[in-house]
């Protein structure tokens, strides 16, 4: 977590007024400790809870459980079908065909 890109992203987004609900199946406790002083950050117990009513999904980790999510459930949970993928885990053309506004960062 000390040099994780997610820290920089979260700190910048919250500085700009965003509210973040994060989920990490492996590093949640460490992330909570490191981010404890950042206003506007909450942690969810599971990935679908983190998406409830969110404006967008931002992927900054590539844990195995995120490789084949239920995209229909994701669409239903988000206010709009918007995904920013910092790990380039998904096929951009396929997700766009499914109606997502998908941004593969760095691709």
């Amino acid at each position: 977590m000390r040099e994780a890109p997610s820290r920089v992203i979260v700190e910048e987004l919250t500085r700009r007024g965003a509210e973040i609900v994060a989920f990490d199946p492996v590093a949640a406790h460490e992330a909570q400790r490191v981010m404890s002083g950042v206003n506007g950050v909450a942690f969810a117990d599971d990935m679908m809870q983190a998406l409830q009513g969110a404006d967008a999904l931002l992927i900054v980790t590539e844990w195995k459980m995120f490789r084949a999510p239920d995209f229909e459930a994701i669409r239903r949970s988000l206010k709009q079908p918007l995904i920013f993928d910092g790990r380039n885990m998904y096929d951009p053309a396929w997700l766009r065909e499914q109606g997502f506004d998908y941004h593969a960062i760095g691709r």
Side-chain angles (χ1 to χ4, degrees):
M1 276 301 304
R2 193 172 63 217
E3 295 182 27
S6 57
R7 286 186 63 183
V8 175
I9 293 167
V10 167
E11 288 169 1
E12 182 62 23
L13 287 172
T14 56
R15 187 184 70 76
R16 293 175 182 230
E19 294 181 16
I20 307 289
V21 179
F23 171 69
D24 188 309
V26 176
H29 294 294
E30 181 65 9
Q32 289 173 356
R33 186 188 69 74
V34 169
M35 295 290 187
S36 65
V38 180
N39 291 329
V41 178
F43 290 87
D45 293 328
D46 65 62
M47 66 181 166
M48 295 313 294
Q49 179 188 20
L51 293 175
Q52 292 302 313
D55 292 311
L57 166 60
L58 171 62
I59 302 164
V60 293
T61 188
E62 50 191 324
W63 298 119
K64 188 175 184 177
M65 72 180 302
F66 297 136
R67 291 185 188 155
D70 180 344
F71 286 106
E72 187 55 40
I74 290 171
R75 181 194 331 280
R76 286 191 308 268
S77 296
L78 293 170
K79 288 182 183 176
Q80 55 199 356
L82 176 59
I83 299 174
F84 295 94
D85 183 356
R87 295 299 187 189
N88 296 304
M89 293 177 53
Y90 310 123
D91 177 1
W94 185 83
L95 276 175
R96 289 184 184 114
E97 287 174 10
Q98 304 309 306
F100 283 90
D101 185 3
Y102 179 75
H103 302 272
I105 300 168
R107 203 180 253 187

